[in-house]
Amino acid sequence: MRIDKAVIRQMKLIFKTGFRTSFGNSVVKDFLLVELTDPEGRTGWGECSAFMRPWYNEETTVGARYVIGEFLLPALLRAEEVESPEKFYDASSWIRRNRMARSAVDCALWDLWSREQGVPEWKALGGVRTEIESGVSLGIEPSPEQLLRKIEKYRAEGYRRVKCKIKPGFDIAYLEAVRREFGDIVLMADANSAYTLKDLDLFRRMDELGLLMIEQPLACDDIVDHAQLQAAIRTPVCLDESIDSTETARRAIELGSCRIINIKVARVGGLTEARRLQALSAVHGVGCWCGGMVDAGVARGHNIAAATLPNYVYPNDIPSSDRYYAEDIVTPSTFIDRNAKIQVPQRPGTGFEPAWDVIERHTVRTWEFTRESVRESAS
């Protein structure tokens, strides 16, 4: 595989409605698209999920653009041959952290590489499913009653697993209301690091609600206190922000910090690391699932491919195309069926193509790189 041209696009999409978590309310999605082109004109696409503000992790849209444009793309364009996405991922591992920036390029390479091979991306990764199950992720609502109406709406659309965002003051009463209203619905809570071990009594009350899991209850970089929490409660702890690599996952599993891992492709550095992480987790009996970053269509396509891997065993946060945004930046759009399933594309690459009219209307700025421009900048 050889890369002759690369383009970074800064994009802006407006949410249909705000999405509130414990760390803030999102109304606009500022993100980056990365396009890689080979000598035959085939293209691969990646999406950078970093936010404009460093409130999910330390990365931002501006910082990711710098890392992609100053380091990752020049390295690709200077290479005479890229043997595989995995080889490039390992060769660029000298870049510390900046995993969302690395993910955008890694995913674009997987898309292009699988198109060149003439196979679907999920098959190139080693996926085993032709359909995946999705759950719905709901933001924090002003009242339990409003949350119940939201759940009612999404259950009518086919979603079976419901994830409720929680934070102090917006937690146990909400979850209890959901359990009373909807009985044995598959229910989980996502705290986005809003609690500490001082809240142990609260988590023991949640034990009585039969939750599928509690996601990232404690600090975003912690695996020690989570081990203490998991030992004290019956409900499985699922780690999200704390797990940024296969090596971190190994440590967390050995400590007993969790029983489930949410593998967000963007958070761990791309499809290469996501594949390695789910394989390691399988060896230790820790189940995984694919989380999302209120993604647009390019990242959603890569998430679908990741969710076909063998140890992605729980419903995923991969919603229909119209969940967050009025317009999809890829075609065809994705929709769940009445059983909350998404059929996995069978075409080469992710199976999706750019919706150019939508992309052009929502592009804020572009940066273009060629083999010639990279040589000139280095001289």
Side-chain angles (χ1 to χ4, degrees):
M1 180 167 52
R2 174 186 163 107
I3 309 301
D4 276 2
K5 188 177 85 168
V7 177
I8 302 174
R9 288 180 174 82
Q10 183 178 338
M11 307 287 298
K12 178 174 286 192
L13 290 175
I14 308 298
F15 283 92
K16 291 165 66 175
T17 58
F19 189 75
R20 186 175 296 278
T21 68
S22 65
F23 50 73
N25 186 41
S26 297
V27 294
V28 175
K29 173 75 170 180
D30 288 284
F31 64 103
L32 305 173
L33 289 181
V34 173
E35 178 189 1
L36 305 178
T37 304
D38 71 7
E40 286 71 43
R42 289 176 294 236
T43 57
W45 289 77
E47 180 177 323
C48 183
S49 297
F51 294 110
M52 285 298 286
R53 287 184 268 181
W55 55 6
Y56 175 79
N57 68 3
E58 71 277 8
E59 287 185 81
T60 64
T61 307
V62 175
R65 190 215 62 79
Y66 182 81
V67 171
I68 294 168
E70 293 295 320
F71 303 107
L72 288 164
L73 295 185
L76 273 178
L77 290 162
R78 290 186 187 118
E80 288 303 316
E81 183 73 19
V82 178
E83 186 175 338
S84 69
E86 200 164 18
K87 292 286 188 181
F88 182 78
Y89 184 84
D90 290 338
S92 59
S93 62
W94 62 270
I95 298 176
R96 295 193 179 186
R97 301 187 67 82
N98 288 286
R99 291 185 174 92
M100 291 189 176
R102 295 186 67 195
S103 175
V105 174
D106 181 72
C107 289
L109 282 171
W110 273 104
D111 186 18
L112 180 57
W113 189 75
S114 54
R115 288 176 191 267
E116 291 184 349
Q117 304 299 312
V119 299
E121 182 177 82
W122 65 274
K123 282 190 177 180
L125 283 169
V128 297
R129 297 180 180 84
T130 58
E131 63 178 15
I132 61 169
E133 183 173 358
S134 291
V136 66
S137 177
L138 300 178
I140 296 170
E141 295 292 331
S143 71
E145 291 71 29
Q146 287 166 283
L147 175 62
L148 297 180
R149 301 292 72 81
K150 278 282 184 73
I151 294 174
E152 192 171 50
K153 171 183 180 294
Y154 286 108
R155 275 170 58 85
E157 293 179 10
Y159 290 102
R160 297 186 291 182
R161 187 226 71 189
V162 173
K163 179 170 86 171
C164 297
K165 298 284 187 178
I166 61 172
K167 68 178 183 178
F170 297 79
D171 42 42
I172 193 71
Y174 285 70
L175 297 172
E176 288 175 341
V178 174
R179 191 54 87 204
R180 283 195 304 269
E181 180 81 6
F182 297 106
D184 61 356
I185 186 176
V186 180
L187 178 64
M188 59 179 285
D190 183 6
N192 288 115
S193 307
Y195 299 87
T196 70
L197 285 176
K198 294 178 181 178
D199 299 300
L200 188 55
D201 287 343
L202 176 71
F203 291 119
R204 287 181 172 136
R205 289 180 65 187
M206 290 184 192
D207 261 348
E208 305 306 313
L209 296 176
L211 301 179
L212 179 65
M213 66 187 83
I214 301 172
E215 185 180 355
Q216 197 66 39
L218 309 180
C220 64
D221 58 354
D222 171 74
I223 58 174
V224 175
D225 286 356
H226 277 103
Q228 186 174 337
L229 174 64
Q230 183 65 95
I233 62 175
R234 299 189 305 274
T235 305
V237 169
C238 170
L239 289 183
D240 174 359
E241 291 97 322
S242 290
I243 306 298
D244 56 13
S245 67
T246 302
E247 183 58 23
T248 307
R250 179 191 63 79
R251 298 186 190 115
I253 292 169
E254 289 182 2
L255 286 171
S257 307
C258 63
R259 296 177 192 159
I260 300 170
I261 294 177
N262 170 358
I263 304 179
K264 290 180 179 172
V265 173
R267 189 191 72 242
V268 302
L271 291 166
T272 295
E273 190 72 358
R275 182 170 67 166
R276 294 172 178 175
L277 205 162
Q278 64 86 35
L280 170 84
S281 300
V283 170
H284 296 278
V286 173
C288 303
W289 55 283
C290 184
M293 296 288 294
V294 289
D295 302 294
V298 170
R300 185 176 60 246
H302 293 297
N303 290 345
I304 290 171
T308 69
L309 288 165
N311 198 38
Y312 280 73
V313 295
Y314 295 99
N316 308 280
D317 278 352
I318 304 174
S320 296
S321 296
D322 58 357
R323 169 72 174 92
Y324 298 117
Y325 310 106
E327 296 182 288
D328 201 350
I329 65 170
V330 299
T331 183
S333 292
T334 297
F335 298 100
I336 67 166
D337 63 21
R338 297 302 300 173
N339 295 310
K341 300 290 180 66
I342 292 174
Q343 300 304 308
V344 178
Q346 300 301 313
R347 295 176 296 277
T350 61
F352 300 96
E353 301 297 332
W356 282 110
D357 58 330
V358 180
I359 289 174
E360 292 296 340
R361 275 189 279 110
H362 295 284
T363 296
V364 177
R365 187 177 176 188
T366 62
W367 295 264
E368 185 171 311
F369 305 80
T370 64
R371 300 180 74 84
E372 292 74 21
S373 67
V374 166
R375 279 198 298 267
E376 290 171 3
S377 65
S379 60

